[in-house]
Amino acid sequence: KENRLEVINGTYRMGAADEILVTVRDNPDLTSRGRIRPDGNMTVNLIGDIYLEDLTPREAGDKLHKLFQQYLRDLPREAVGVEVTGFFSKRVYVFSYGLGERQVPFTGDTTVVDAVSASGLLAITSAPRRIMVVRGEPDPQKLPMMLKVNLVDVVVQPDPPLPVARP
């Protein structure tokens, strides 16, 4: 079974505001930590500004490895690591009638319960059995998907009811 981090590193596309850690084994002075700026670049020690937006961490590692090889001979590919330490480029929006809306960072593991809880918008007057989740598609030709969620069932997950004994 694949490690969750391996899956994220292979598929997650980094974006502006994500926090990134770049490491080069046996070269601690080359460690860089920062955010991808709105222009898609991040400043990396020794290299300077490099465009990382819309790359996976693996693709960014390959790109950085090629650039570091100009300065470090015999640098193996696995010596250069790129890790997303803060997922801030993707957001989930939670709307509540009467209470407004909130943005919640989407980390890849965010559930409906996590998003609603983090938003603070579930009020006493809310209808937790009628929550709508709208998932947008990257393709503007496709309509967003609308899912109905019963938050009570998700949180409580009751056991099947026991038969009631009658005298």
Side-chain angles (χ1 to χ4, degrees):
K1 185 176 177 181
E2 260 188 310
N3 178 320
R4 174 80 174 134
L5 184 59
E6 291 171 359
V7 172
I8 289 172
N9 282 340
T11 61
Y12 182 80
R13 298 264 170 210
M14 300 182 297
D18 281 340
E19 286 183 1
I20 309 298
L21 173 65
V22 176
T23 56
V24 181
R25 186 176 59 221
D26 300 328
N27 291 281
D29 293 345
L30 298 181
T31 296
S32 298
R33 182 182 301 273
R35 286 186 185 240
I36 297 177
R37 298 188 306 263
D39 65 358
N41 288 297
M42 180 181 148
T43 303
V44 176
N45 291 339
L46 188 63
I47 294 173
D49 286 354
I50 182 167
Y51 191 80
L52 297 177
E53 187 171 30
D54 204 34
L55 296 178
T56 67
R58 282 193 186 128
E59 292 168 345
D62 291 341
K63 186 174 186 177
L64 287 165
H65 175 253
K66 288 177 187 172
L67 294 169
F68 280 127
Q69 273 189 316
Q70 296 174 12
Y71 305 100
L72 304 168
R73 292 190 177 139
D74 302 323
L75 180 69
R77 167 56 189 99
E78 62 274 2
V80 178
V82 175
E83 179 182 345
V84 180
T85 58
F87 296 87
F88 299 109
S89 65
K90 315 289 188 274
R91 294 182 180 12
V92 174
Y93 298 90
V94 179
F95 300 90
S96 174
Y97 293 108
L99 296 177
E101 65 182 71
R102 299 278 192 301
Q103 291 182 22
V104 177
F106 179 71
T107 64
D109 287 333
T110 305
T111 65
V112 173
V113 175
D114 295 335
V116 171
S117 177
S119 74
L121 293 179
L122 192 61
I124 293 173
T125 57
S126 298
R129 287 179 164 77
R130 294 184 302 153
I131 293 193
M132 295 296 295
V133 175
V134 180
R135 293 181 65 176
E137 294 290 330
D139 183 356
Q141 301 298 323
K142 294 184 179 180
L143 292 174
M145 186 182 346
M146 308 229 1
L147 307 166
K148 291 181 185 178
V149 176
N150 182 337
L151 198 58
V152 174
D153 287 346
V154 172
V155 173
V156 177
Q157 294 181 351
D159 294 329
L162 295 173
V164 177
R166 295 187 184 211

